[in-house]
Amino acid sequence: MTEDLDALHTALVERLDTTPAIRDAFAAHPRHRFIPDMVWPDATGSPLYRSTDPGRWTRLVYSADAVTIQANDGGPGPRNEPSSSSSAPQVMADMIAAAGVGEGMRVLEIGTGTGWNAAILSTLVGAKGAVTSVEIDPGVAALARERLTGTGVTVHAVAAPPDGEVYDAVIATCAVTRIPSSWTAALRKGGVLVLPWSPHPAAHSTPIAALRHRGGSVSGRFVREGAFMRDRTQRPGDLPFPGLGRQPVPLEPLAVGSVELIGSGMMTPLLLMLPGVRLGTGMRPFQGRPGRIVWMGAGKAWAYLWPDGTVTGGGERALGEELAEAYRMLREAGLPGVGHFALEAGPDRGSYRVVCEAFDGYWEHAVSS
Ligand SMILES: C[S@@+](CC[C@H](N)C(=O)[O-])C[C@H]1O[C@@H](n2cnc3c(N)ncnc32)[C@H](O)[C@@H]1O
């Protein structure tokens, strides 16, 4: 069995699209050594135990996806809301590459989880470097510390970087809207902070930004799409589905239907171009069957885009028109992906600025502290 797992790990490493150094560091730390016996494969229902279904456990561990190792902060719940996981390997490799992690560096990770990413970082920085990882959940931190024995990684069961320490790179593996000042304070000037960011805490995606410390501010490009769990100190709480129970009013139709828009890769660019708007996807009854829609909400205003391009909504803000205008801009610019966008965040600003090289101007996202 162990031999099979090692072979599966080798195949996972070979599939990574990354640098030889990052591939070698992954090769040194088989994923199965970091995933616990109990995992949460489904959105509802019971957990899966390796001892009762080793085949399914192995398929999950050696899939290209994230593996949830804890739901609902370790407590019960109507759904298995992921609260700790092993991230998708390609996403990890891309974040490590974006942070420029190399020999001799001091690296801070926010969100130890299984400890797998920290182990890989420790190999990359080598004996002359150092890796510190902080994890808000003491139980998760304790298990990771055990798994990381012999790697030289220091794990702290806390919610913020250690006071006074400064690192060459910071990698956050939980998503934020407001970048904590303790994260930028932990970064040396010129260092890189890689983090999943979204303009509001209930966003459907959390694209990964690589931000350089430029003294008073941090700024840099988005490097890829992402869908990370939230920093536990910045969760959105329960928010109502926009427009639920309200009378649907027909609005101007869009040039694209919801299913096509979702498949176009433009949902995250739209999120970045629509300040103050919650944007998501969901299922609603459509022509007698469940249909995938794009929904928007801002205050009491809402809009739904349906599979056939029709738009319904209401409220004080013309969300359907805003969506149509942003989509028109994207289409005219050749549908630029998230890698064409960048983020600028000042230390004490109440808003973060998103820019895109395809357009003049910027979008200012208000962020409450
Ligand atoms: C996606 S998982 C981490 C994956 C991990 N790097 C790995 O390799 O397995 C995100 C982790 O962030 C932790 N977390 C959430 N908010 C945090 C905070 N403010 N400080 C430290 N850890 C936090 C969660 O408990 C969770 O374990």
Side-chain angles (χ1 to χ4, degrees):
M1 192 65 178
T2 309
E3 237 169 82
D4 287 346
L5 291 173
D6 286 341
L8 288 168
H9 185 69
T10 303
L12 177 150
V13 173
E14 279 168 4
R15 283 194 302 272
L16 289 175
D17 179 11
T18 193
T19 64
I22 294 176
R23 194 173 284 118
D24 287 350
F26 269 82
H29 300 284
R31 195 183 197 188
H32 59 266
R33 296 203 194 136
F34 290 85
I35 309 286
D37 283 4
M38 186 180 82
V39 296
W40 297 85
D42 303 311
T44 55
S46 308
L48 168 76
Y49 290 89
R50 181 182 188 177
S51 46
T52 49
D53 193 344
R56 188 166 180 220
W57 185 90
T58 300
R59 281 195 297 282
L60 286 168
V61 171
Y62 282 107
S63 73
D65 295 331
V67 179
T68 301
I69 63 157
Q70 187 200 64
N72 304 320
D73 299 348
R79 291 174 56 80
N80 301 327
E81 211 50 67
S83 51
S84 189
S85 67
S86 162
S87 310
Q90 185 63 53
V91 179
M92 289 164 58
D94 291 350
M95 291 174 79
I96 293 169
V101 177
E103 215 171 328
M105 283 174 67
R106 292 155 299 147
V107 179
L108 170 71
E109 179 192 43
I110 317 274
T112 318
T114 62
W116 190 35
N117 193 48
I120 292 160
L121 292 172
S122 74
T123 294
L124 278 164
V125 302
K128 292 200 182 110
V131 176
T132 300
S133 187
V134 299
E135 168 57 54
I136 197 168
D137 187 308
V140 170
L143 288 173
R145 202 176 280 126
E146 272 176 34
R147 292 181 200 113
L148 286 164
T149 305
T151 61
V153 174
T154 309
V155 177
H156 296 284
V158 289
D163 265 353
E165 300 286 325
V166 176
Y167 301 86
D168 299 308
V170 177
I171 299 179
T173 62
C174 50
V176 291
T177 293
R178 182 182 40 77
I179 301 172
S181 53
S182 62
W183 294 11
T184 40
L187 189 63
R188 74 163 165 80
K189 199 169 166 204
V192 178
L193 164 62
V194 176
L195 80 172
W197 182 83
S198 68
H200 58 80
H204 69 280
S205 74
T206 60
I208 311 296
L211 309 176
R212 197 167 285 282
H213 196 312
R214 300 179 201 274
S217 65
V218 287
S219 61
R221 276 176 179 272
F222 287 96
V223 292
R224 59 161 296 142
E225 294 274 358
F228 271 80
M229 62 186 60
R230 293 263 138 211
D231 179 317
R232 291 193 193 186
T233 65
Q234 293 193 30
R235 285 175 172 161
D238 283 338
L239 291 169
F241 193 83
L244 204 61
R246 309 275 291 277
Q247 192 61 33
V249 181
L251 303 171
E252 199 63 37
L254 209 70
V256 64
S258 52
V259 177
E260 195 188 330
L261 181 61
I262 293 162
S264 70
M266 290 301 107
M267 287 295 286
T268 301
L270 286 169
L271 181 78
L272 298 175
M273 293 167 70
L274 293 166
V277 178
R278 282 169 65 206
L279 180 72
T281 67
M283 302 300 284
R284 310 295 303 151
F286 177 70
Q287 296 177 350
R289 284 192 282 159
R292 192 125 192 255
I293 67 159
V294 172
W295 56 257
M296 308 169 73
K300 290 204 168 81
W302 84 99
Y304 300 161
L305 169 66
W306 298 88
D308 62 357
T310 54
V311 180
T312 54
E316 68 284 5
R317 194 166 156 178
L319 294 178
E321 281 173 30
E322 289 186 37
L323 179 67
E325 172 60 11
Y327 182 68
R328 186 195 59 74
M329 286 174 68
L330 285 169
R331 220 176 37 180
E332 282 181 13
L335 301 178
V338 72
H340 294 266
F341 287 76
L343 180 67
E344 296 171 23
D348 299 315
R349 281 226 313 262
S351 70
Y352 291 0
R353 181 170 293 187
V354 169
V355 295
C356 175
E357 62 197 10
F359 311 114
D360 291 334
Y362 53 84
W363 297 269
E364 211 58 69
H365 292 268
V367 171
S368 57
S369 54

